[in-house]
Amino acid sequence: MSLSRSYGLQARLRTHLQKSAVNLIASVSHRNPRESAPRRWVSSGTTNHEKLATKPVPKHDWNRAVSEAEKIVGYPTSFLSLRWLLSDEIANVALHLRKLVGSNHPLLRTAKNLIYNGKNNMQAWGLIVLLVSKAVGHAPTVPDMEQDKSAGVLQSQRGLAEITEMIRTAHLVHQGLVNLQPLDNAGNELGSDSDTIFGNKIALLSGDYLLGNACLQLAGLRNQPLIELISSAVRDLAESNFFGPRDQQNNPLPSMPLNTTTMGGGKGNSDSMNPLEPDVSFGDTENNMQPLSLAGVMGNPEKEWALRHILGAGTLLGKSCQGTMMLAGQPEALQRRGYLFGKHLSLAWQACIDLEPFSSDEFPSGGRFSLVSAPVLFHLDHDPALYDEIQKGLDSIDNIDFAKVHAKVRTGPGLERTRELQKKHSLAAMAVLNELPPSDARTALQNIILAMQDI
């Protein structure tokens, strides 16, 4: 069977299996899954890059940007590939999710986001790693047996892309765990919380299964420096769950704004920064294997926001981009630029996602948004009086009037400052891409960055 037919069959089977999984989650709104484009052959060489460069897609078309990028690397890159969907373990998880329908367990929301490749697109991380792999190429000393010439990447790089997605998804699934009772009631009967207990078991075991398989696959690459690099990213993910104040369900809360001249000014100290080099170094520009520094972070809106999301996502994507260059035998200086690219890209992505809940004046009853999102943190810097409302959530964020916070943020400077933040990190990521030779993969990465403007 040809590769084009294999790719088409895999895409159709994946779509069919995704539709079956959706039927288990009744509360999801309907949308048509993205149709997979036929397999397109591209050269893995460097001589015809100008001719192979894809046409820029419309700036605001996220789905098309991702679809075009998938065609460049030759296949869907998500770990939710055919072999994962057909595994007994994942099939059992999908069946057990049926028992959680109607329980409002956080695991259901994670499952919906995994099934639907929407704007938050958890499954695009491996795609970005492969595009970076293809854009930088590999050293001529790499044996032919290691090369996936049809996609223009190495077999080990494809494995790293899957590892990246498995680790990120495991982290998101683990975040779906719910504390069943407050500490002062610990040890009481939990018979009435059977659905929550079951959901916690599924979230814990599913996340452990993915993380365990990622570690096994990482060890199989037999590259000690890479193992240490990705392991440090997993350490950062774990630290992100304990960073800053939190309620009893471990939902993050912003820290108290600093009593400095930045309060009420709405600008902080970001104006002095070079827009191409945002000040988001926490010691990782010198040595990203060590834990990130917390000095001078809490209460500074931009630094606090950046550190939260570098720990929770940025180091994983950045170190995966760095690691894929390591596998390709690229110089250490270029590897470090790969880390910066992934870090800035993840922060630009997060800034776009943070803006989405504030895109409309209307706020749905019972709605929620992240209290540590950039617009909220910037508004607290501008109007510290709003922190009195935030403090109501120390026991539970359910005690916070989200509609009030939403209305306040909509009328303040937080949204504009977040747009500036997104632009700054997008430019920083673009600056790294511009150092690479022209290619279809580089153009696809640029298109993805441009498409973020409308997320």
Side-chain angles (χ1 to χ4, degrees):
M1 181 182 295
S2 67
L3 285 176
S4 59
R5 292 188 60 193
S6 297
Y7 170 75
L9 177 61
Q10 178 176 339
R12 288 194 295 272
L13 285 172
R14 185 180 66 160
T15 301
H16 173 73
L17 289 167
Q18 286 179 337
K19 287 180 179 179
S20 299
V22 170
N23 291 333
L24 300 179
I25 306 174
S27 60
V28 179
S29 60
H30 178 72
R31 65 174 281 219
N32 292 326
R34 186 177 67 247
E35 296 181 357
S36 297
R39 176 74 167 81
R40 182 168 70 88
W41 290 85
V42 295
S43 170
S44 60
T46 59
T47 56
N48 295 324
H49 277 149
E50 293 285 359
K51 296 180 180 179
L52 289 172
T54 56
K55 296 180 180 180
V57 301
K59 180 179 180 180
H60 302 303
D61 196 340
W62 168 264
N63 287 333
R64 182 177 176 186
V66 172
S67 178
E68 289 292 323
E70 285 185 340
K71 289 188 287 184
I72 290 171
V73 297
Y75 37 70
T77 58
S78 171
F79 87 92
L80 289 174
S81 59
L82 189 60
R83 65 191 183 93
W84 287 106
L85 283 170
L86 294 182
S87 67
D88 292 337
E89 292 85 355
I90 296 299
N92 286 333
V93 169
L95 290 175
H96 288 311
L97 281 175
R98 181 182 303 167
K99 300 179 182 179
L100 294 178
V101 173
S103 68
N104 199 33
H105 194 280
L107 180 59
L108 282 177
R109 292 194 294 272
T110 302
K112 295 171 190 176
N113 287 332
L114 287 173
I115 291 171
Y116 284 111
N117 296 333
K119 293 179 178 180
N120 294 343
N121 209 327
M122 298 178 185
Q123 301 176 27
W125 285 49
L127 173 63
I128 291 171
V129 173
L130 286 181
L131 288 172
V132 170
S133 305
K134 192 174 176 67
V136 300
H138 53 77
T141 56
V142 176
D144 288 345
M145 293 182 61
E146 295 292 325
Q147 301 177 28
D148 182 354
K149 294 186 177 181
S150 63
V153 298
L154 305 180
Q155 299 289 353
S156 56
Q157 290 174 324
R158 181 180 180 183
L160 178 59
E162 287 191 349
I163 290 167
T164 301
E165 289 201 344
M166 280 190 284
I167 293 174
R168 174 154 171 77
T169 306
H171 174 65
L172 294 170
V173 170
H174 277 153
Q175 286 183 319
L177 289 169
V178 178
N179 292 330
L180 298 177
Q181 53 189 207
L183 292 177
D184 52 1
N185 293 331
N188 293 344
E189 177 60 39
L190 296 173
S192 60
D193 294 317
S194 58
D195 286 341
T196 305
I197 293 173
F198 180 77
N200 280 356
K201 289 179 179 179
I202 295 297
L204 179 62
L205 295 176
S206 300
D208 286 352
Y209 170 76
L210 292 171
L211 187 58
N213 274 277
C215 293
L216 181 63
Q217 191 167 337
L218 180 62
L221 296 180
R222 299 181 180 276
N223 188 311
Q224 185 65 28
L226 179 65
I227 293 174
E228 294 178 358
L229 182 67
I230 301 302
S231 296
S232 68
V234 176
R235 175 205 63 209
D236 293 337
L237 287 175
E239 185 177 348
S240 70
N241 290 322
F242 302 96
F243 176 78
R246 293 171 179 266
D247 72 354
Q248 292 190 4
Q249 288 293 338
N250 204 41
N251 294 304
L253 295 169
S255 61
M256 182 176 294
L258 292 174
N259 291 320
T260 66
T261 57
T262 64
M263 292 176 60
K267 290 184 180 297
N269 58 5
S270 61
D271 287 348
S272 61
M273 300 175 189
N274 182 341
L276 296 182
E277 294 293 340
D279 185 15
V280 290
S281 174
F282 303 96
D284 53 333
T285 55
E286 294 80 19
N287 182 3
N288 65 356
M289 298 294 291
Q290 298 299 318
L292 301 183
S293 171
L294 306 183
V297 170
M298 305 308 295
N300 182 313
E302 184 166 347
K303 284 185 175 291
E304 181 178 335
W305 174 84
L307 184 55
R308 284 183 184 276
H309 295 294
I310 289 173
L311 286 172
T315 58
L316 178 60
L317 184 57
K319 290 178 180 180
S320 295
C321 293
Q322 178 181 350
T324 199
M325 295 183 182
M326 183 186 299
L327 290 170
Q330 296 293 349
E332 184 174 348
L334 184 58
Q335 295 177 27
R336 302 292 296 179
R337 299 298 289 169
Y339 171 73
L340 291 177
F341 169 76
K343 182 172 75 168
H344 287 301
L345 178 61
S346 70
L347 291 177
W349 198 330
Q350 186 62 47
C352 291
I353 293 173
D354 285 356
L355 284 168
E356 189 172 1
F358 301 96
S359 59
S360 173
D361 288 331
E362 298 181 3
F363 188 71
S365 176
R368 294 279 187 84
F369 51 85
S370 173
L371 294 170
V372 294
S373 62
V376 176
L377 291 174
F378 282 134
H379 189 85
L380 288 173
D381 185 55
H382 167 75
D383 179 18
L386 185 61
Y387 194 73
D388 293 338
E389 183 67 33
I390 301 296
Q391 285 187 305
K392 297 178 182 178
L394 290 177
D395 290 332
S396 172
I397 61 173
D398 293 334
N399 300 327
I400 295 176
D401 187 346
F402 278 83
K404 176 182 177 180
V405 177
H406 183 271
K408 289 283 188 180
V409 173
R410 284 275 304 170
T411 59
L415 298 182
E416 183 58 33
R417 292 185 65 185
T418 302
R419 293 186 187 98
E420 294 174 359
L421 186 69
Q422 188 277 331
K423 180 179 179 181
K424 183 161 55 178
H425 288 291
S426 294
L427 289 174
M430 284 285 198
V432 177
L433 286 181
N434 290 336
E435 298 173 9
L436 304 178
S439 67
D440 52 354
R442 191 187 80 167
T443 302
L445 287 168
Q446 292 170 336
N447 289 338
I448 287 176
I449 294 174
L450 292 175
M452 285 182 189
Q453 310 299 320
D454 196 40
I455 292 183

